Structure formats: structure tokens, C-alpha cells
Amino acid sequence: MDVTQLDTAARSKDPVEGFRAVAALRRLADQLEARNVGLARRQGWSWEQIGDALGVSRQAAHKKHRRTW
Amino acid sequence: MKKRLSIDARGAVLEAATTEAARRGDDYIGSEHLLLATLARPEGVAAAALGTDLAAARRGLALLDEQALAGLGIEVDIARFDPHDRPRSTSRPRFTSGAKHVLHRAVIEAKREDATVITTRHLLLGVLGAEPPDAAVTLLGHLRCDLDAARATLAPSGVEAE
């Protein structure tokens, strides 16, 4: 284990670090979701198919992303 | 006596904070965005007091995110994600309580000086009044800013122009 890894291991006990990771993951997940909804819509996917892929209802997928696409 | 024309910086700083949040893809306005916003102001008062600049602070915030994810074994280049790729919200971003405290402290700082308007300097003093684990304080620590020195620089006697 090198210095960087030790440093990382020590920091991972820190909730500041943990919450930051949570917030970053949420943000990146949202961005990834929106990007792929856009791709899917342009490729002719229905909102039902998109909802199924995301594990949500057609209505939920549409409601969340209709303003973007 | 030199006459100084100060205008209230709140509107401009809040607008800049909203821009900084959108730039990152954050759907809220936190103290860290207010910090970036004070650094974005053309007066340069924040950059001079903190010994850093907007570009470095933006990079620092992204780096903190990447470090936190690296702690989980996730290697990711945040810059590869497009912040505009996200569901558009119709409502304005909400303020975290940390951000509200910054604004409140800025008002108190101005009152203490009998100032008639809230300047960028007051807003930065509001940011500097926060305590860990506040997001702006975390970022300032990461940037190795000397907060005591910054507060001294920002004290009314230490500032010529705002």
C-alpha cells in the first residue's frame, strides 16, 4: 500500500468524504440518465421502453425527462 | 475624503452562484457556490484575500469529488460528464441552510460596519464565518487558504476598495 492508498483509506472513514461521494454519484447518475434518455428518444424508444430500462413507470420517466427531450 | 460608490453585490453574487451551480450540475445553491461566486466578481477582493482564483477553486471542487469517489474505488473524470445532461427543473435551485447562513452573516458584517449596502467583501466574510464540515470551508482547506489571514485582509481597515 503506497502513501496515496493509505491516505484514501484513512479518508474513507470521514463522513464529509462519504457524503461528497454520495452527492457526486447522484449528480453523475442523473447526468448519465438524462444523456441516455436523450439517446434513446432519438433512436425511437418509447417512454414505456425507457421506463422499463430504468425500472420506473412510463409516466415517471416521461414526467422527469419531458422538459429535457 | 475619497468618496466611494458601493453597490449592493447580493444580486450579482447570487446570480453568479446560480451559474456556478448549473455549471457543475448541482441542483442546489450551497456555500461552496457562493464562495465561487465571490471569486467570480470583477472586484477581485476575494481572490486577493484568499490567494486563489476562480479557476483553481472550480478545479478544487471537482478534485474533491474525484477524491471522494476514488475512496470507493471509482475512477472518474468529472469533466467528461456534461452538467447540461440532466432533467431540467422549472423551479429555481434551493438554498442549503449553509448558504442561508452565509447571507445572514454577510448582513450582520455590514451592519457591524454601519455599511448601507452588502458588498462582495461582506459576503466573503459570511463564507469565512462558516465552520467545518461546511462545504466552502472544506474547499478552502483543500486550496490551503489561510482563513485567519483572509479575515484580517478583509477587515474594514485593511480594505481600500471594494
Side-chain angles (χ1 to χ4, degrees):
Chain A
M1 192 180 253
D2 66 17
V3 178
T4 317
Q5 284 172 311
L6 271 173
D7 193 29
T8 304
R11 272 204 313 263
S12 65
K13 291 251 160 73
D14 181 1
V16 170
E17 187 96 347
F19 285 133
R20 184 169 283 281
V22 170
L25 282 173
R26 274 202 192 117
R27 203 178 71 231
L28 297 181
D30 261 359
Q31 290 169 6
L32 201 53
E33 180 177 317
R35 182 195 296 175
N36 282 283
V37 167
L39 285 173
R41 288 297 291 168
R42 282 194 290 274
Q43 289 174 22
W45 288 42
S46 68
W47 284 107
E48 190 171 87
Q49 289 169 322
I50 292 170
D52 282 355
L54 291 170
V56 300
S57 69
R58 171 179 66 81
Q59 290 90 340
H62 181 251
K63 190 178 175 200
K64 186 169 176 186
H65 293 285
R66 69 186 160 192
R67 283 187 208 93
T68 323
W69 309 103
Chain B
M1 192 177 117
K2 196 170 87 176
K3 196 162 184 180
R4 193 163 65 198
L5 190 68
S6 294
I7 54 161
D8 198 295
R10 270 178 296 186
V13 167
L14 291 187
E15 196 176 314
T18 308
T19 304
E20 292 301 327
R23 206 170 180 280
R24 272 175 53 77
D26 288 328
D27 58 2
Y28 62 91
I29 294 180
S31 60
E32 68 273 41
H33 304 119
L34 289 172
L35 171 61
L36 292 178
T38 61
L39 284 165
R41 297 294 302 147
E43 308 95 291
V45 59
L50 296 170
T52 186
D53 59 31
L54 179 60
R58 280 175 177 163
R59 268 200 311 278
L61 213 44
L63 206 62
L64 280 171
D65 287 344
E66 288 176 359
Q67 279 177 1
L69 292 171
L72 303 173
I74 302 170
E75 299 294 334
V76 59
D77 179 4
I78 301 257
R80 285 188 54 201
F81 285 77
D82 182 354
H84 301 296
D85 271 343
R86 71 174 301 145
R88 300 221 207 311
S89 167
T90 45
S91 54
R92 292 184 63 79
R94 67 183 183 81
F95 283 71
T96 63
S97 55
K100 287 178 193 166
H101 287 313
V102 168
L103 299 175
H104 182 62
R105 281 192 297 266
V107 172
I108 290 174
E109 292 291 343
K111 268 192 188 144
R112 204 205 318 259
E113 298 171 13
D114 280 330
T116 49
V117 294
I118 315 286
T119 62
T120 301
R121 186 172 61 79
H122 294 131
L123 286 159
L124 182 57
L125 281 168
V127 171
L128 294 175
E131 281 170 21
D134 175 85
V137 173
T138 304
L139 175 57
L140 288 167
H142 173 77
L143 295 170
R144 307 224 182 287
C145 294
D146 184 339
L147 303 194
D148 289 331
R151 280 188 208 100
T153 309
L154 292 169
S157 56
V159 173
E160 280 183 23
E162 293 181 0

